Amino acid sequence: LWNWEKPKSMASVRTTNAAGSPIRQVLFNSVDNTQVSVVGDTILKVYRYSENSLKQIGNYKCDPLPMRCQHWLTEDRLLVGTDTGDLLLFHKGDLKQKLTFTLSSDSVKGRNKDGATLETKKATGPPESVDALKKIHCVTSGSRYVYVSFDHRLHYLDRTEDGCYEKAGHLCLPIPEETEYTMDHDIVQLVRSPGDDVIAAVTTGNQIYAVPSGFSGVLRGVDNYLNRLTPTFHSQPITGLSVCIRKSLV
């Protein structure tokens, strides 16, 4: 843990397990910034910074899963996405819900630059390529929905009366005309702008997309797509996305 204002280490702790499994993401609690959560391959730990040290708190118990991403909903509610397509909801350390996403069997539809629809079948490929499709790459929340990146699509979830979540629909990526397969077009990072509630998404196809303005659910019977956030003026990979006070998006 580093101090932004001074080049000084405030605290450090070993977060991996005895097997040395890799850590996938470290995240501050958006409500209580003294809490830091860590996820990795069969790793889920939460620490609290106090008295110049990081102390593990809570006992987050669940099946040993390859955990990839996380998102704090409130001070004590944490979402965790896995490489097996499971979305885990923890409340005060207890597993409250396990929501499983499955790969779609239909064609993946995209749209070329002229607005015409094209269809590309998913690549079957070697087994490891198919397994790679099952990853939940990232998760975030907006004013109404929770958004989950899975299977080349942005799924959105609605909260139920008991505090859990259910699948409400999904938005597709407008796949470029020259793309034969969709393997290289996953949403790998999601960021919410706190000022105007825009959900922006970075893809492995080197582009930034956004949830349509005023989004309140998909229209039935038609294709629903993410919008391009900016013109395609760049060609090199986008390495990250964040928000700050002076600019709504960086």
Side-chain angles (χ1 to χ4, degrees):
L1 186 64
W2 287 85
N3 189 322
W4 274 94
E5 298 178 350
K6 301 177 182 179
K8 178 182 178 181
S9 174
M10 299 172 62
S12 64
V13 65
R14 179 180 171 85
T15 58
T16 188
N17 51 24
S21 300
I23 301 299
R24 304 295 185 189
Q25 188 181 30
V26 179
L27 189 68
F28 279 99
N29 187 321
S30 56
V31 180
D32 180 1
N33 61 10
T34 65
Q35 290 189 41
V36 182
S37 51
V38 178
V39 296
D41 193 359
T42 70
I43 297 172
L44 172 57
K45 299 178 181 180
V46 177
Y47 299 88
R48 183 182 297 279
Y49 177 73
S50 176
E51 299 178 351
N52 297 321
S53 65
L54 287 166
K55 300 178 181 179
Q56 188 171 350
I57 60 174
N59 188 13
Y60 288 73
K61 291 184 177 180
C62 65
D63 296 334
L65 295 169
M67 302 183 186
R68 176 162 293 271
C69 59
Q70 56 181 322
H71 175 70
W72 285 98
L73 293 166
T74 64
E75 184 178 357
D76 53 13
R77 288 168 61 88
L78 176 66
L79 284 172
V80 177
T82 73
D83 285 351
T84 56
D86 295 314
L87 184 68
L88 312 176
L89 172 62
F90 292 92
H91 182 218
K92 296 182 178 179
D94 296 326
L95 181 62
K96 183 177 180 64
Q97 182 186 14
K98 180 180 179 180
L99 185 62
T100 300
F101 289 80
T102 57
L103 298 176
S104 58
S105 58
D106 59 340
S107 300
V108 176
K109 295 183 178 181
R111 186 164 48 190
N112 62 22
K113 61 184 179 180
D114 297 322
T117 300
L118 62 99
E119 295 188 1
T120 55
K121 297 290 185 179
K122 287 182 180 176
T124 54
E128 59 268 24
S129 296
V130 175
D131 290 341
L133 289 171
K134 298 178 182 179
K135 296 177 182 177
I136 292 180
H137 291 274
C138 47
V139 57
T140 193
S141 60
S143 58
R144 176 174 177 181
Y145 298 111
V146 163
Y147 296 91
V148 179
S149 168
F150 177 81
D151 191 21
H152 314 299
R153 301 174 179 182
L154 185 61
H155 300 259
Y156 58 97
L157 316 177
D158 218 344
R159 184 168 177 171
T160 58
E161 293 182 357
D162 59 356
C164 294
Y165 289 90
E166 61 183 4
K167 301 173 185 176
H170 67 265
L171 295 167
C172 298
L173 286 171
I175 304 167
E177 184 177 11
E178 65 274 8
T179 303
E180 183 178 2
Y181 297 108
T182 62
M183 284 283 194
D184 294 331
H185 291 269
D186 273 314
I187 297 171
V188 292
Q189 190 174 4
L190 291 168
V191 170
R192 174 187 175 182
S193 171
D196 47 14
D197 198 24
V198 171
I199 305 295
V202 170
T203 73
T204 48
N206 308 338
Q207 299 298 327
I208 303 180
Y209 296 91
V211 175
S213 178
F215 178 74
S216 60
V218 301
L219 299 174
R220 301 295 181 181
V222 299
D223 293 328
N224 295 270
Y225 295 92
L226 292 164
N227 294 335
R228 289 192 185 276
L229 184 66
T230 59
T232 55
F233 56 82
H234 57 88
S235 59
Q236 296 301 310
I238 295 170
T239 58
L241 190 68
S242 186
V243 293
C244 64
I245 297 175
R246 294 181 180 275
K247 297 289 185 179
S248 59
L249 189 67
V250 177

